[in-house]
Amino acid sequence: MCGICGIASPARAGTPVDEPTIVRMRETLVHRGPDDAGTFLEQGIGLGHRRLTIVDLTTAGHQPMLSADGRHVIVYNGEVYNHPTLMQDLTAAGVGYRSTCDTETVLHLYQRHGPRCVEHLRGMFAFAIWDRAERTLLLARDRFGVKPLYYHHAEDGTLVFGSEIKAVLASGRVRPALNLAAFPDYLANHAPSGDDTLFEGVRRLPPGHTLLWQDGTIRLTRYWDLPVVPEGARDERPEADLVEEWRDRFREAVRLRLMADVPLGMFLSGGIDSAAITAMMSQLVSEPVRTFSVAFEEREANELRYAQLVAERYRTEHHEIVLSPADFVAALPRLIWHEDEPIAHPSSVALHFVSRLAAEHVKVVLTGEGSDETLAGYNRYRVSLLNLRLAGIWGHLPGMVRSEVARGVRGLPQRSRWARRFRRTFLALPGDLDSLYFDNFAVFDRAMQRDLLAPDLLARLGDPDPYAPFHRALDRVPADSTTLDRLLYADISTYLHELLMKQDQMSMAASIESRVPFLDHPLAEFTARLPSRLKLRGYTTKAVLRRAMQGLLPEEILSRRKMGFPVPVAGWLRGPYRGLLDEFVTGPRPTARGLFRPEAVRTMVAEHLAGVPGHWERLWALINLEIWQRVFLEGEDPGQILPGGVPGARAA
């Protein structure tokens, strides 16, 4: 696994591409590739690479890599799991290899198929190939966007790209500034969910796309999309046959991700996803699987007993780390620097610490990302479908009755857990998808944003749609698709991206590679063709996975309700770390930025401190936003941002 970066500049730009700039960009990515480094430079083009050696431990895999004829140059980040088969086929066709690494396979495929080489690749990747004869630069990203790739296309036609945004910024071609167009999306959805980032002028190459640059112009092409199959066209073989085939495909996905010339491990949370991968790994390797788990000191945020249950079942070589609140808080500014944008989910911090633990033993880990979005694992799918169905019935009652009930529900005490639940149902909300799904599970919904944002900023933004990327995704779904399919597709196209970036950047910050078997694209395509009842069956989520793992996993794991990864942030912000709110939410510096109405922010903080539920995610978003602005927009040292530091914390 590696880090890549580069600049392509047309002759008319008038600004040469120099080696110090490429090296500066490359060295921001040293954590992604501590084993080797390289650059390629000629008129109008510069490419940089940092290498983490996973396959072919010799120097033959050094990058940038030139083709045998010297015409093409590649910088590559990723793993192509069908590389051995492709290499065998290419060798049989007379292609000569100078290494055993998949980078060379990608280069050979490009020479044969051009940009369509990506269609032959099974894995996770982001790469750039420079054609010295045609003077074209191709950027490509894997189907689900497991590996990151960001770019800036300047007015003069110059293209700057990198595995992380910080590499793009290090080019000096982009001035760090808050991208207000993506701000409502961030506030609603934890992170920008489309192609925009929070940096003005910096975009992400969408998953399943290529970008072709030539003489200052760019063209984006989608080469893959997850199929959405109408219910009537699903695979309707006997369920037992479908479960068996799904299990076989899942086993193959895990087997392919064991390809490495270095030790591998598994992030084991104790949930069904990581437990299922551990079970498959144990069947496919001869030595004990190395498993790694993380939890917090607080009992409500410690699920280690479930991980231990799986570890004992499969006799893994198990390792654990328990974090204190001090560890968590002290790490936050540095990890925001690694993430490039505000950290969407507090579990990212724990993920980094378990990655550091794993890095002491292995270089590659497998993880369970992607299962929830492909197999309907989130409780919000079940809740939303029920809400929408009941809203259809409720809509037939007289409007006066519905209005009175809604008024009564909204008037229930704020601190009541049941009142909060009722306020998120068809009884209090309009019966449309935006209200019952997007607004209902937003951090700051549309109404909250109107109350939160400063009047001047609201006027500048107009009437933004914070769910625009989701709506664009829904527009691509066939009209005869089920509501569940629409929700899954929208989340795979948007929300999943942030989870994958969290996984990539928090693990790569520890110089460790993570692989995601559930997002093996043949497995995902097969899953898309399954009947909906094999994903969500009544109250049972991930039905096909649970059936496929019967007899392999302990019943306690199979029957567990999904909990996510609990992080006790709410209690910390009411207790020992209330000072974070004073410094980063209501303090003079965040107030002076003029983004929010001070009275709305103060009210939110006061309600949280008084025990009103539901605010901690919003306060987390504001804390992260302020730290991010200090690090990236104002250039502060992450190590100096927390006033007085955090005594007793382990270094991030």
Side-chain angles (χ1 to χ4, degrees):
M1 202 51 58
C2 308
I4 65 174
C5 61
I7 301 175
S9 184
R12 66 177 181 273
T15 304
V17 181
D18 61 279
E19 186 168 19
T21 298
I22 299 299
V23 170
R24 186 170 64 247
M25 295 170 64
R26 185 192 72 190
E27 293 310 288
T28 66
L29 305 173
V30 65
H31 51 281
R32 299 187 70 89
D35 297 333
D36 192 18
T39 58
F40 172 85
L41 202 73
E42 65 181 23
Q43 183 64 37
I45 184 72
L47 303 174
H49 188 265
R50 292 290 325 194
R51 187 183 185 203
L52 178 67
T53 310
I54 303 295
V55 175
D56 190 343
L57 306 185
T58 71
T59 58
H62 176 78
Q63 297 184 49
M65 180 182 287
L66 273 71
S67 59
D69 61 6
R71 173 173 170 172
H72 299 102
V73 191
I74 184 172
V75 285
Y76 165 80
N77 169 30
E79 302 291 347
V80 173
Y81 303 119
N82 61 335
H83 155 62
T85 301
L86 292 170
M87 183 178 179
Q88 184 178 8
D89 292 344
L90 288 166
T91 302
V95 173
Y97 270 77
R98 295 166 292 163
S99 73
T100 59
C101 66
D102 51 348
T103 307
E104 188 172 357
T105 290
V106 175
L107 195 53
H108 288 314
L109 286 171
Y110 179 80
Q111 290 183 297
R112 289 189 159 219
H113 304 288
R116 298 193 66 175
C117 66
V118 290
E119 299 172 14
H120 299 263
L121 306 178
R122 182 175 184 177
M124 55 181 187
F125 52 83
F127 62 81
I129 296 179
W130 172 246
D131 185 325
R132 302 173 77 182
E134 298 290 335
R135 298 195 61 79
T136 60
L137 181 70
L138 177 75
L139 304 185
R141 194 166 178 214
D142 66 70
R143 291 166 177 81
F144 284 102
V146 180
K147 303 314 299 178
L149 194 56
Y150 300 92
Y151 71 93
H152 167 71
H153 188 217
E155 290 185 4
D156 66 5
T158 298
L159 181 72
V160 185
F161 71 91
S163 294
E164 296 182 5
I165 297 173
K166 62 180 67 66
V168 176
L169 298 177
S171 71
R173 309 290 181 104
V174 187
R175 182 181 63 85
L178 174 62
N179 181 12
L180 290 178
F183 197 43
D185 186 3
Y186 165 76
L187 292 173
N189 304 306
H190 299 276
S193 47
D195 303 340
D196 279 329
T197 71
L198 270 188
F199 289 91
E200 189 175 293
V202 180
R203 297 175 64 80
R204 55 176 64 97
L205 181 63
H209 280 70
T210 59
L211 181 155
L212 186 66
W213 178 95
Q214 186 170 32
D215 195 30
T217 63
I218 63 172
R219 184 175 76 248
L220 272 72
T221 303
R222 180 189 294 274
Y223 68 87
W224 182 86
D225 200 8
L226 186 68
V228 179
V229 183
E231 194 70 15
R234 301 295 174 90
D235 193 331
E236 290 295 344
R237 286 178 289 160
E239 284 193 6
D241 293 346
L242 295 174
V243 171
E244 182 179 2
E245 182 172 348
W246 190 91
R247 185 192 301 113
D248 290 343
R249 288 176 175 271
F250 177 54
R251 181 182 291 109
E252 180 190 26
V254 174
R255 179 186 64 78
L256 288 172
R257 281 153 184 80
L258 300 179
M259 179 188 79
D261 296 331
V262 294
L264 298 99
M266 176 68 209
F267 284 162
L268 181 59
S269 69
I272 189 172
D273 304 333
S274 62
I277 297 172
T278 302
M280 287 300 176
M281 288 178 72
S282 298
Q283 295 179 359
L284 294 167
V285 298
S286 56
E287 68 280 356
V289 175
R290 299 174 179 90
T291 52
F292 305 92
S293 301
V294 60
F296 290 94
E297 292 175 345
E298 288 81 355
R299 184 175 180 180
E300 72 273 15
N302 191 314
E303 299 183 284
L304 288 179
R305 74 180 186 92
Y306 294 105
Q308 292 162 357
L309 194 65
V310 176
E312 290 168 5
R313 174 70 171 264
Y314 289 100
R315 299 180 180 180
T316 72
E317 181 187 304
H318 190 56
H319 307 268
E320 297 177 348
I321 183 171
V322 176
L323 300 184
S324 69
D327 295 331
F328 181 97
V329 172
L332 191 55
R334 173 60 60 183
L335 295 185
I336 289 174
W337 180 85
H338 277 293
E339 184 86 352
D340 283 330
E341 295 183 282
I343 290 180
H345 305 281
S347 56
S348 295
V349 178
L351 174 59
H352 174 68
F353 276 95
V354 76
S355 296
R356 287 174 50 191
L357 172 66
E360 297 173 7
H361 305 271
V362 299
K363 266 195 166 184
V364 177
V365 292
L366 275 63
T367 75
E369 264 70 30
S371 171
D372 290 312
E373 293 78 13
T374 56
L375 290 171
Y378 296 125
N379 188 53
R380 65 174 181 255
Y381 298 135
R382 180 183 61 80
V383 170
S384 299
L385 292 177
L386 178 62
N387 250 333
L388 289 163
R389 187 160 55 248
L390 293 176
I393 300 171
W394 184 246
H396 293 295
L397 294 179
M400 183 179 297
V401 173
R402 288 184 279 118
S403 297
E404 285 301 314
V405 171
R407 186 178 298 111
V409 169
R410 295 189 191 105
L412 293 171
Q414 275 193 310
R415 295 194 191 187
S416 166
R417 179 176 298 180
W418 283 104
R420 184 167 176 252
R421 290 180 178 177
F422 279 130
R423 283 196 294 270
R424 298 180 64 180
T425 69
F426 65 96
L427 295 174
L429 297 172
D432 56 84
L433 193 63
D434 267 22
S435 299
L436 291 175
Y437 188 68
F438 297 126
D439 262 351
N440 212 3
F441 296 96
V443 181
F444 290 96
D445 64 28
R446 291 169 296 186
M448 290 176 188
Q449 291 195 31
R450 286 192 291 270
D451 181 62
L452 174 72
L453 294 174
D456 289 349
L457 180 55
L458 273 176
R460 291 174 62 187
L461 291 173
D463 186 22
D465 177 7
Y467 314 118
F470 293 86
H471 290 144
R472 287 194 292 270
L474 290 175
D475 288 341
R476 298 196 297 269
V477 179
D480 55 356
S481 301
T482 66
T483 302
L484 177 61
D485 282 332
R486 289 166 59 80
L487 299 182
L488 293 177
Y489 182 85
D491 279 352
I492 287 170
S493 302
T494 53
Y495 178 71
L496 177 61
H497 186 274
E498 173 54 34
L499 299 182
L500 293 174
M501 292 306 90
K502 152 195 155 183
Q503 182 67 54
D504 176 87
Q505 288 158 325
M506 292 299 99
S507 58
M508 290 306 297
S511 301
I512 190 169
E513 173 184 307
S514 55
R515 300 176 176 179
V516 284
F518 283 107
L519 295 181
D520 182 61
H521 79 269
L523 172 65
E525 289 171 349
F526 178 77
T527 301
R529 296 193 297 270
L530 291 175
S532 294
R533 65 182 181 276
L534 280 176
K535 300 169 190 173
L536 183 62
R537 189 193 297 265
Y539 286 92
T540 302
T541 61
K542 306 180 186 176
V544 66
L545 174 60
R546 296 181 195 279
R547 287 189 57 182
M549 292 298 110
Q550 285 178 352
L552 293 175
L553 293 179
E555 185 59 35
E556 193 171 359
I557 299 297
L558 287 172
S559 59
R560 276 192 75 193
R561 291 186 61 189
K562 182 175 180 60
M563 293 185 63
F565 187 90
V567 183
V569 172
W572 295 343
L573 294 180
R574 290 192 184 100
Y577 294 100
R578 174 179 171 174
L580 294 176
L581 301 177
D582 298 332
E583 174 68 24
F584 300 119
V585 179
T586 58
R589 289 182 65 181
T591 300
R593 296 191 190 282
L595 296 173
F596 307 119
R597 293 176 54 244
E599 57 271 29
V601 174
R602 287 194 296 267
T603 297
M604 190 192 323
V605 170
E607 289 179 352
H608 176 77
L609 295 176
V612 174
H615 283 317
W616 76 263
E617 277 190 290
R618 297 167 193 136
L619 296 173
W620 169 260
L622 299 187
I623 290 169
N624 270 263
L625 177 68
E626 175 61 22
I627 296 175
W628 172 79
Q629 290 180 100
R630 295 187 188 187
V631 171
F632 283 101
L633 307 191
E634 297 170 359
E636 290 192 29
D637 180 350
Q640 302 299 317
I641 283 181
L642 292 174
V646 182
R650 283 173 279 199

